[in-house]
Amino acid sequence: MKLCDFSFVGWIAASCTSFGFLPQIAKGLKTKKLEDVSWGMLWVTFTGVTCWLLYGIVKSDIILIIANVFTDSTLVTLILMKKIFKRKNNA
Amino acid sequence: MKLCDFSFVGWIAASCTSFGFLPQIAKGLKTKKLEDVSWGMLWVTFTGVTCWLLYGIVKSDIILIIANVFTDSTLVTLILMKKIFKRKNNA
């Protein structure tokens, strides 16, 4: 192992941004409300994360690939939750 | 310019994830509410984005650096807005 191996910074970054939307999912499941969460944020971030994933694939960067597959799945979960809560609250 | 220059994918990714929190700021400014937005999401993502920034600096990757400086500034804005709205709503 190199003395100055900074790949751990990448792994912390990947972990935090990958797990970043989990607290939002947890809060949403608890309160059954995601009204204040912006559709724009969810869709723009989803598009961006999907592009980071492609960038990671092109650059063969395993950290980018794993991180962004996970983040995309949490974003899809939030989008579905917001759709379901919206339908229920309008019913 | 190379025929298969995929750096544009990185730039789209960087733009979308950098601008991703702007719609949330806009919605927050409009509704003066960020109650449903999770503190955990904001802080964990802020930590992650800051680490991506360090990773970008270490790897001398200009796309990572620019993207994450901007994202961090939007996250700080959201954190401050949520604090201010919380104080006002409790007053």
Side-chain angles (χ1 to χ4, degrees):
Chain A
M1 189 177 165
K2 284 180 288 175
L3 191 62
C4 289
D5 185 346
F6 278 100
S7 66
F8 74 93
V9 180
W11 283 109
I12 297 172
S15 306
C16 288
T17 49
S18 299
F19 296 138
F21 289 102
L22 283 182
Q24 186 64 66
I25 292 176
K27 189 179 169 84
L29 286 174
K30 200 175 157 195
T31 61
K32 312 277 181 223
K33 269 182 77 225
L34 288 170
E35 205 181 307
D36 299 339
V37 176
S38 148
W39 280 119
M41 178 187 78
L42 294 175
W43 282 112
V44 175
T45 308
F46 176 77
T47 307
V49 170
T50 304
C51 286
W52 275 129
L53 172 59
L54 293 175
Y55 187 70
I57 291 168
V58 171
K59 292 251 177 182
S60 304
D61 187 324
I62 191 71
I63 295 183
L64 277 176
I65 294 170
I66 294 175
N68 290 301
V69 163
F70 188 84
T71 312
D72 254 357
S73 65
T74 58
L75 282 164
V76 168
T77 306
L78 276 175
I79 288 168
L80 291 174
M81 280 169 66
K82 190 166 159 70
K83 274 190 193 289
I84 292 166
F85 294 162
K86 201 189 169 196
R87 197 176 301 164
K88 284 197 177 165
N89 291 335
N90 284 348
Chain B
M1 189 178 163
K2 283 180 288 175
L3 191 63
C4 289
D5 185 347
F6 278 100
S7 66
F8 75 94
V9 179
W11 284 108
I12 297 172
S15 305
C16 288
T17 50
S18 298
F19 296 137
F21 290 102
L22 283 183
Q24 185 64 67
I25 292 175
K27 189 180 168 83
L29 286 174
K30 200 175 157 193
T31 62
K32 311 278 181 222
K33 269 182 77 221
L34 288 171
E35 204 181 309
D36 299 339
V37 176
S38 148
W39 280 119
M41 178 187 78
L42 295 174
W43 283 113
V44 175
T45 307
F46 176 77
T47 307
V49 170
T50 304
C51 286
W52 275 129
L53 173 59
L54 293 175
Y55 187 70
I57 291 168
V58 170
K59 293 250 178 182
S60 304
D61 187 322
I62 192 70
I63 295 182
L64 278 176
I65 294 171
I66 294 175
N68 290 301
V69 163
F70 188 84
T71 312
D72 254 358
S73 66
T74 58
L75 282 164
V76 168
T77 305
L78 275 175
I79 288 168
L80 291 175
M81 281 169 65
K82 191 166 159 70
K83 273 189 193 292
I84 292 166
F85 294 162
K86 201 188 169 196
R87 198 176 299 163
K88 284 197 177 164
N89 292 334
N90 284 347

